[in-house]
Amino acid sequence: MLYLIWTLLNIALGVYFIILCFQAARLLKERIGLYAAVIFTFGLLSFTTNSGKKSVGIRENPDVKKWTYVPRDSIIPGGLKFAHARIDKTWISRIELTVSYGVKKSSNQTVPVEANSVWYGSVTGFNWEPISISAHATTDQEYAYTVIGTLQWKLLGISLYSQPKTYEGSIELK
């Protein structure tokens, strides 16, 4: 419930800020002129845009951190599989863990290859930053995991509080 309230507060303040910007631009136009209002508007828009490259897929997205345990070329070709676990869930979002695994060529053991953790759903007012992900085999069909990260609570893009989070559990291999 707190996550929903925080998201709604961020949206309300964002809308209010946009209304204030339009009012400020209108006042600038009346007092100083149209040229100043246009420069002011483009100046505000430059703060809200991001010039960084954004990709849809996790593989191409540089914002998603990956933990690599063994090189992909040490795995039997075509044997890479994925296991997913939902490690946290709120009304409006969830944090998921993805572990890729495969059979190692040299030992014929199933080993974790890579892992990542991503926040899905409404991300307005939050930033999930995983710090450490560990995964190790407990049985042939199960891995134990530990995900340590920081959940940043933001208000209009400014980080107000950083909440440390630790998730532990097991993930079933298929």
Side-chain angles (χ1 to χ4, degrees):
M1 183 68 166
L2 183 59
Y3 292 99
L4 179 62
I5 292 170
W6 191 257
T7 298
L8 293 175
L9 176 66
N10 266 282
I11 291 171
L13 287 176
V15 169
Y16 183 64
F17 179 73
I18 290 170
I19 291 169
L20 286 177
C21 289
F22 277 116
Q23 290 176 350
R26 185 177 47 84
L27 285 173
L28 275 174
K29 180 183 167 204
E30 290 172 1
R31 302 217 182 212
I32 299 174
L34 180 64
Y35 182 72
V38 169
I39 296 296
F40 176 75
T41 303
F42 281 116
L44 282 177
L45 288 175
S46 70
F47 287 119
T48 60
T49 60
N50 185 359
S51 61
K53 178 186 170 201
K54 295 291 182 187
S55 299
V56 176
I58 290 174
R59 183 176 303 268
E60 300 88 21
N61 193 339
D63 295 335
V64 176
K65 288 185 185 177
K66 289 183 193 174
W67 279 260
T68 303
Y69 304 110
V70 297
R72 284 182 179 238
D73 59 357
S74 68
I75 301 299
I76 294 175
L80 195 62
K81 298 180 182 176
F82 297 92
H84 303 281
R86 183 175 294 161
I87 58 176
D88 193 11
K89 183 173 176 19
T90 68
W91 286 11
I92 58 173
S93 63
R94 67 190 186 276
I95 299 174
E96 290 193 2
L97 171 68
T98 302
V99 177
S100 61
Y101 62 95
V103 178
K104 199 167 185 177
K105 290 178 189 176
S106 61
S107 64
N108 283 338
Q109 285 184 306
T110 302
V111 293
V113 178
E114 290 178 347
N116 65 47
S117 179
V118 179
W119 178 288
Y120 291 102
S122 175
V123 295
T124 304
F126 302 100
N127 184 36
W128 168 243
E129 186 175 331
I131 296 169
S132 171
I133 299 175
S134 66
H136 61 278
T138 54
T139 66
D140 286 343
Q141 295 299 315
E142 191 173 82
Y143 280 179
Y145 67 81
T146 303
V147 178
I148 300 171
T150 304
L151 180 62
Q152 295 175 350
W153 293 67
K154 296 184 170 203
L155 192 60
L156 293 178
I158 299 169
S159 184
L160 295 182
Y161 178 68
S162 293
Q163 179 183 10
K165 294 257 193 187
T166 301
Y167 300 101
E168 294 178 329
S170 61
I171 189 167
E172 187 178 330
L173 305 181
K174 298 177 181 176

